[in-house]
Structure formats: C-alpha cells, structure tokens
Amino acid sequence: MRWGDVSLHVDNEGKEFLQFRERQSKTCQGDNLDHARNIYPKAWATNDERCPVNLYKRFADLRPSDYSSPDSPFYLATNCKDASHSHPWFKRQPVGVNKLGTIMKRMAKSAGLDNRRFANHSARKYLVQKLADQNIPPTEIMQISGHRNVQSINSYSNISMDRHRAISNILSSNNDQPGSLVLPSHTAAASASELPSTANVTSSQSM
C-alpha cells in the first residue's frame, strides 16, 4: 500500500473526506481492468477522537516530509528511540511484511483481548458484519469491501443476536399469523417483486 492510495478531498458541501484507491491486493491485481473497483471507498470527517480525517492529517504530520510522495510506503516503521517534537515519529523505512501480518494480534494483546481470535482480516469481516446488521444491501457492501460476488459477502456475515431472537419468537408463537420479524427494506422489496401481480393471478384463474 502506498501513501497516494489514500487521498484527502472536499465534497460539494465543504466537508472533508478520505478516498481509498486500491492499487493491488488479492482481489485487485495491478493494471488488470477486470479487477479495478468501480467505486472508491470514502470516509467522511466525524470530528471526534476517531475521526479518520484528523487521524490521517496527524499521521501525515508525523511522517518524514520526504516520505509523503504518492509512491512512498504507507506504513512506516516507528521511531522508538527519538520520537520527540523535533524528529518525526516514523522512520524512513517501511514496516516489514511479517510485522504487518501480526499487527492486529499485537494490538489485541495490548488491549487485553484474546489475540488468538484476531487477525488482520478480522477488520474486513467486522466491516461486512456491521454493515449487514444495519441492513445495507450486499451489493453495496461489495463496493466498500472489494468483494467480487455476493456469495463471498454471505460467507463473512452471520445472523445477528437480535435477528436470532426475533426468529425464535416467531417459531415459539402459537399464532399462525405473520410474525413481527421486520425484513430489511431491500429484502422486502425483492420479495415483493417476486410475487405475481393481481392481473397475472386473475388471468391464470380464468384459464
């Protein structure tokens, strides 16, 4: 990943956002146009302690100034020995592949979590699950996560506890009337589109 893969922009309302333009990954390989994303993921400023725009700007300030060109490595080794105000926090050296591969496990361990359950890919799985729980259509999740088919999304997402509870209530009820399980709007629309129209039903009955 290169520094130029993430860029800062301003929308037509004057709000800042970051845009990620993936160059190469498992699902996006080099200049192969078949693997290029049609939509570039974006993250708007939230103006809180986890604001992606503010964190990006802070990261930019703490990097060596000559390591902020578009082709510079995005992840740099930390300058542990001399991270003073007069020196950058990061070295003119990219983080090694092996160290990058264990970054999530080390973060989990530092936070007192069971790091055996965490890997770098956990962030992607969490993203898919969180969006699915908020009833974001799989086709839109794909555009953010970079997956190339809906089947891949389904393998990442699990049914939430709230949905489990709603389904359990329906199955446990003695009432044969439709239950209280509320379908996501996109699911409801898809289900409705599969039903025959009144005209079609009338036509088939008259035959």
Side-chain angles (χ1 to χ4, degrees), residues 4-194:
D5 293 354
V6 179
S7 52
L8 181 62
H9 301 268
V10 178
D11 65 17
N12 55 9
E13 296 181 358
K15 297 179 180 179
E16 292 182 312
F17 67 92
L18 299 177
Q19 178 172 277
F20 174 54
R21 183 166 183 168
E22 189 176 29
R23 296 194 189 190
Q24 191 168 28
S25 69
K26 182 179 178 181
T27 55
C28 180
Q29 301 176 11
D31 296 327
N32 189 333
L33 297 180
D34 291 335
H35 294 171
R37 289 187 184 220
N38 294 322
I39 302 294
Y40 299 129
K42 300 172 178 61
W44 267 260
T46 56
N47 298 320
D48 56 21
E49 62 180 6
R50 300 179 62 182
C51 175
V53 171
N54 289 342
L55 292 174
Y56 173 82
K57 291 179 178 179
R58 180 62 171 161
F59 186 29
D61 289 340
L62 297 174
R63 296 167 60 92
S65 58
D66 56 342
Y67 259 64
S68 295
S69 66
D71 289 324
S72 297
F74 189 88
Y75 299 106
L76 299 179
T78 53
N79 188 5
C80 300
K81 293 183 179 180
D82 190 7
S84 62
H85 291 290
S86 59
H87 292 80
W89 282 21
F90 298 92
K91 299 179 181 179
R92 292 175 173 83
Q93 175 185 332
V95 177
V97 174
N98 292 335
K99 194 166 187 177
L100 267 180
T102 60
I103 190 170
M104 188 67 76
K105 288 185 177 296
R106 289 185 284 111
M107 290 171 63
K109 184 177 181 180
S110 297
L113 302 174
D114 182 1
N115 65 345
R116 292 174 298 178
R117 299 181 55 192
F118 291 89
N120 288 359
H121 211 63
S122 300
R124 196 184 197 196
K125 179 176 175 61
Y126 176 76
L127 177 148
V128 171
Q129 184 67 58
K130 186 169 185 177
L131 294 180
D133 288 346
Q134 295 298 317
N135 298 331
I136 302 299
T139 51
E140 293 183 10
I141 296 177
M142 288 169 53
Q143 296 180 49
I144 301 300
S145 66
H147 288 94
R148 299 177 65 187
N149 56 67
V150 175
Q151 287 74 19
S152 298
I153 294 292
N154 292 337
S155 67
Y156 274 71
S157 179
N158 298 315
I159 187 170
S160 68
M161 187 63 71
D162 287 341
R163 301 288 282 181
H164 265 299
R165 188 180 296 110
I167 291 171
S168 175
N169 289 340
I170 291 173
L171 295 177
S172 300
S173 173
N174 292 325
N175 187 354
D176 290 334
Q177 297 299 317
S180 59
L181 181 62
V182 178
L183 291 174
S185 57
H186 64 278
T187 305
S191 300
S193 66
E194 295 172 357

